[in-house]
Each structure stands twice: as structure tokens, then as C-alpha cells.
Amino acid sequence: MNPTATRLLDFLQRDLDIPPESLNLALKDEQAMPHHFPMILWQYGLVTKEQLESVFDWLDEHLL
């Protein structure tokens, strides 16, 4: 896993309080990291719309 993906997972667990079990469920498709991963989390119902927006904000800030 690349460093950005690792930092994204840390953010999801630390700041959004997403349980590791939920992240592991969504991580079945590692190729989705990090760009499609937020949508996978949302499609599985693991994040709210507000959390999804926070994830996109984080990605905008850290991938530029």
C-alpha cells in the first residue's frame, strides 16, 4: 500500500472514527485506493454523506 493510502486510512480511523473492520471490508479492492475508495465506503454505507465530503476534502488537500 502506498504512503498516501496509509495516511488516508489513518485519517479515516482517527478523525472520522471509521472502525478498522469497516475499512477492511472496503479494502477488498486495493486498486481503488485512494481515488475510488471513498465512494466504495459510501456505497457500502460505511460513511455518511458529510463524512464522504470530509474524505474528498482530505484527498484534495493531500494529493495536490
Side-chain angles (χ1 to χ4, degrees), residues 3-5 7 10-11 16 21 24 26-29 31-32 34 40-41 48-49 52 55 59 62-63:
T4 301
R7 290 191 339 245
D10 289 341
F11 165 75
L16 299 184
E21 300 82 24
N24 287 334
L27 274 171
K28 289 182 180 180
D29 183 4
Q31 292 180 1
I40 292 171
L41 290 170
T48 65
K49 183 180 176 192
L52 180 64
V55 175
L59 286 171
H62 292 88
L63 292 180

Side-chain angles (χ1 to χ4, degrees), residues 3-18:
T4 301
T6 301
R7 290 191 339 245
L8 174 59
L9 291 175
D10 289 341
F11 165 75
L12 292 168
Q13 288 181 56
R14 184 185 62 249
D15 294 16
L16 299 184
D17 203 27
I18 308 295

Side-chain angles (χ1 to χ4, degrees), residues 29-50:
D29 183 4
E30 280 194 43
Q31 292 180 1
M33 274 301 240
H35 297 89
H36 299 289
F37 192 66
M39 291 305 297
I40 292 171
L41 290 170
W42 186 66
Q43 288 174 339
Y44 285 3
L46 302 173
V47 296
T48 65
K49 183 180 176 192
E50 292 79 19

